[in-house]
Amino acid sequence: MPSLQLPRYSPTLLPVKETSTTSSSHKLSASTIRPIEFNLVIESPPLICYGSRTQSTGALLSGLLFLYVNAYTIAMKSVTLELVQEVTVKRPSIGACKNCIHHVNVLKRWDLLKHDTTLPRSEYGYPFSHLLHGDLPASTSASLAGVSYYLRATATPLAKDVAPITLTRALPVYRSIITSDVRRCLRVFPPTALNVTASLPAVAFPKSTFTMDLQLNNVVNKDKNTRWQLRKFSWRLDEITRLKHTGCDKHPDSPQQLEDVKTIAFNDVRKGWKSDFSNDGRIDTEVEISTLDDVPMSCNILAPEFGFEVEHMLIVEMLVSEEHIPPNGSHQSTPTGAARILRMQFAVEIAERGGLGISWDDEVPPTYDDVPISPPGYDYIVPTRDIEHLVM
């Protein structure tokens, strides 16, 4: 067998799922020992692509596939291992077939056993590794579609009365963008002189909270002797999913474009801001955006090859009313009857936490120049004087 044979031992393995690919007449009972069995050991850390899809170097997958032969001998036809990407459409069109709903793409295939071979009773192991490209979409389950990755190992015996064994192991793939930058945005609202400066983090995380600072400027109009007063403001975080479904090769004439908008979190704020009407005037407020509710949400996904996209939009609305500036010594203000709703949208990048991990290309071993200077050699021996013998 063109694989690595390992000594017999029982490693600690994660739970796996084994399925039989034959009919019910060929299924083995629970008390019968299977002639062959599979197990998978994933040795690499979690598959996290650091950076955007255009900057990430991908994630490195490595592990061991074990084949246990319990029979005395068994004739094998083939043993294969595949790394599979599957895109599932959750809202297919009418008349869609199975291939229209499930788009399966084999990213990597290992032919562990290509020819008919008789294997004696033993444990066989095959190490495998693969570099997942950085532009692959992360695993997700959105409202319109889902992306998943898994390993599929298949052992096909030569005898027809022995059922082939298939093992599948899910492989979650994440994307993390590590940055501490703060986005600063400016929104203007003509014909008034009002403008809003917003500061929010460049990357947010699912099931977390982040802070956004808002500053409403130029609220005082000295020419008209008026000022703008903030009455309330509201925010909501929407998850927008888009899918351009083109169907399989047999149904290419049924394309459809779907879009779904789901509100992740929202809130209305009626107090808590600070107003300063000196000079041009400004109003400062701080908003805490929380996604800790029990609403399922996905990270940002961009997969143009499948026509699948998930993005998040933060919508902020501020209700302001105009009033006359009261004279000195008076706290009574007279409203002018004018009011406006200042509506703003901010794109929010949602990505997974990076944790303490680093990208695989940063884990390189030391180069030759990094090796320190070796200790001195022993070509020259310093002579020593003779040692007198001690007589008792």
Side-chain angles (χ1 to χ4, degrees):
M1 180 179 179
S3 63
L4 178 64
Q5 184 170 352
L6 301 179
R8 185 182 298 274
Y9 71 106
S10 299
T12 302
L13 303 173
L14 298 176
V16 296
K17 178 177 67 175
E18 296 183 1
T19 58
S20 177
T21 58
T22 58
S23 61
S24 58
S25 60
H26 292 147
K27 291 183 179 179
L28 301 176
S29 62
S31 60
T32 305
I33 299 177
R34 291 192 178 104
I36 52 176
E37 289 181 336
F38 268 133
N39 261 320
L40 267 171
V41 177
I42 304 299
E43 298 178 335
S44 56
L47 302 177
I48 303 178
C49 297
Y50 293 94
S52 62
R53 65 189 307 269
T54 58
Q55 299 176 350
S56 176
T57 57
L60 188 61
L61 169 67
S62 62
L64 283 170
L65 173 67
F66 291 96
L67 174 64
Y68 302 97
V69 178
N70 299 323
Y72 184 74
T73 59
I74 187 170
M76 298 297 299
K77 182 179 181 180
S78 64
V79 177
T80 60
L81 177 64
E82 295 176 328
L83 175 60
V84 182
Q85 177 196 56
E86 182 175 352
V87 179
T88 304
V89 179
K90 297 184 179 181
R91 298 184 187 178
S93 59
I94 300 176
C97 64
K98 181 180 179 181
N99 294 331
C100 293
I101 300 175
H102 301 279
H103 298 266
V104 179
N105 181 23
V106 178
L107 301 178
K108 179 65 177 180
R109 177 186 174 94
W110 295 271
D111 292 318
L112 312 183
L113 187 61
K114 299 180 180 180
H115 309 288
D116 300 346
T117 306
T118 301
L119 300 178
R121 177 184 300 174
S122 184
E123 300 175 1
Y124 301 89
Y126 182 82
F128 61 91
S129 64
H130 180 67
L131 178 62
L132 279 75
H133 294 286
D135 58 350
L136 291 175
S139 302
T140 187
S141 179
S143 58
L144 298 180
V147 181
S148 61
Y149 299 85
Y150 57 88
L151 284 170
R152 180 173 60 195
T154 305
T156 306
L158 195 59
K160 297 183 179 180
D161 56 343
V162 181
I165 297 296
T166 300
L167 177 146
T168 58
R169 164 73 59 80
L171 287 176
V173 178
Y174 308 99
R175 182 173 300 280
S176 176
I177 301 177
I178 301 177
T179 179
S180 58
D181 296 339
V182 177
R183 290 176 50 201
R184 290 177 173 82
C185 307
L186 177 64
R187 299 291 187 269
V188 295
F189 301 93
T192 66
L194 295 175
N195 66 78
V196 175
T197 303
S199 300
L200 65 160
V203 179
F205 309 112
K207 301 302 178 183
S208 65
T209 60
F210 62 93
T211 303
M212 179 177 62
D213 296 328
L214 294 174
Q215 185 179 95
L216 181 61
N217 302 308
N218 299 330
V219 298
V220 176
N221 190 339
K222 296 181 180 180
D223 297 335
K224 296 182 179 181
N225 199 29
T226 58
R227 67 186 183 187
W228 293 96
Q229 190 74 263
L230 179 62
R231 300 304 178 183
K232 76 167 187 176
F233 70 91
S234 61
W235 62 266
R236 76 174 187 270
L237 182 63
D238 289 346
E239 181 178 281
I240 305 173
T241 306
R242 298 184 182 92
L243 177 65
K244 185 179 181 181
H245 185 214
T246 57
C248 64
D249 296 336
K250 297 181 180 179
H251 305 89
D253 299 331
S254 59
Q256 58 175 345
Q257 294 185 359
L258 303 176
E259 181 174 340
D260 180 74
V261 180
K262 178 175 63 176
T263 299
I264 303 298
F266 65 93
N267 193 17
D268 292 334
V269 182
R270 298 180 180 271
K271 60 181 179 179
W273 52 82
K274 297 179 181 180
S275 301
D276 181 13
F277 297 112
S278 61
N279 299 325
D280 293 334
R282 69 178 188 180
I283 299 175
D284 296 322
T285 182
E286 186 177 276
V287 188
E288 187 178 78
I289 311 296
S290 175
T291 60
L292 298 176
D293 297 337
D294 296 332
V295 179
M297 62 180 304
S298 304
C299 295
N300 283 37
I301 300 293
L302 180 60
E305 62 273 15
F306 301 108
F308 181 43
E309 180 183 4
V310 178
E311 64 178 4
H312 296 82
M313 194 70 64
L314 179 63
I315 296 96
V316 179
E317 293 182 351
M318 306 178 73
L319 175 60
V320 295
S321 63
E322 191 180 37
E323 63 184 17
H324 293 287
I325 299 177
N328 296 333
S330 176
H331 298 283
Q332 296 293 330
S333 58
T334 305
T336 63
R340 291 182 179 272
I341 296 179
L342 311 181
R343 192 173 189 271
M344 299 158 282
Q345 292 185 358
F346 306 96
V348 180
E349 182 76 23
I350 304 292
E352 292 289 346
R353 292 178 173 86
L356 299 178
I358 58 176
S359 181
W360 67 271
D361 54 337
D362 293 333
E363 299 178 352
V364 294
T367 60
Y368 181 79
D369 296 331
D370 297 334
V371 178
I373 301 176
S374 59
Y378 297 94
D379 297 337
Y380 177 71
I381 301 176
V382 179
T384 59
R385 61 181 182 179
D386 298 335
I387 299 177
E388 299 179 356
H389 295 282
L390 179 61
V391 178
M392 300 296 294

